[in-house]
Amino acid sequence: MDAQASAVPGPTAGDRRDDVGLYWDIRPSHHLPTIEVRVADAALTPDDTLMLAAVVRALTATALQCIRAGEPAPRPAPEVLRAACWRAARDGLAGTGIDPLTGHLAAQTTLIEKLLHTIAPALRQHDDLDHTREQWQRLRTEGTGADRQRAAYRQRSSTPDVVDYLISATCPQ
């Protein structure tokens, strides 16, 4: 991919002296024609990983299409992005999040539906739309990887139960 991506700096907004700093959420690679994305929740299963990869590819393709069309890029304030990340990490899918484009609160599920609608053409172009929609519905039903790990722990308040669940989820028979 031959494109320039805009990175979202962390606590040192605007300070680009450290291009390899871990506070970057999204950045162009320094040595490959790719975009590097850091996520808060680990993709627990192969299907989670495939869905995340499809969403990142669709987001990138959508952004590139907007750039090529000369559309202005959204410029949410760094503090709004940080607050949105914090809310998402705190509340997960069951909570309320911050729409980074408007700054308004909304159900996380509503925000994700809005995002999927926005990137649907790119998902469709790469044959990822059906799989992504199926996996999104699965996450809504089963919960995120963090939700599923907490549920495994709650059964007997046992950390080994969480480890056993992780093994079964990541290494299906």
Side-chain angles (χ1 to χ4, degrees):
M1 173 182 328
D2 183 28
Q4 292 183 352
S6 66
V8 179
T12 57
D15 182 4
R16 295 187 177 216
R17 288 177 287 147
D18 183 6
D19 289 341
V20 297
L22 294 178
Y23 52 82
W24 292 74
D25 297 323
I26 302 169
R27 68 179 183 189
S29 172
H30 294 283
H31 62 284
L32 297 170
T34 60
I35 304 269
E36 298 174 355
V37 177
R38 290 178 171 82
V39 294
D41 194 7
L44 189 61
T45 66
D47 279 332
D48 293 345
T49 302
L50 289 172
M51 181 184 68
L52 178 61
V55 168
V56 169
R57 177 168 58 183
L59 282 165
T60 304
T62 301
L64 287 172
Q65 182 179 2
C66 291
I67 290 167
R68 289 179 183 131
E71 297 175 18
R75 299 268 183 214
E79 57 273 10
V80 172
L81 293 176
R82 289 286 157 235
C85 287
W86 179 82
R87 290 292 302 236
R90 178 179 166 260
D91 295 342
L93 292 180
T96 301
I98 299 171
D99 184 328
L101 300 179
T102 67
H104 295 110
L105 292 175
Q108 292 286 17
T109 54
T110 300
L111 295 172
I112 293 170
E113 286 291 341
K114 182 178 172 183
L115 171 71
L116 292 177
H117 176 76
T118 300
I119 64 173
L123 287 168
R124 191 176 299 108
Q125 176 186 353
H126 293 101
D127 271 340
D128 291 330
L129 183 59
D130 292 339
H131 183 262
T132 301
R133 284 268 175 213
E134 289 168 12
Q135 295 310 310
W136 167 229
Q137 290 309 315
R138 181 184 58 79
L139 285 177
R140 289 184 77 168
T141 302
E142 297 176 9
T144 65
D147 294 330
R148 289 175 273 167
Q149 290 175 65
R150 283 191 295 269
Y153 181 81
R154 278 194 303 271
Q155 289 179 4
R156 296 186 308 175
S157 298
S158 166
T159 302
D161 286 352
V162 177
V163 173
D164 289 343
Y165 170 74
L166 289 171
I167 291 169
S168 69
T170 57
C171 304
Q173 302 293 324

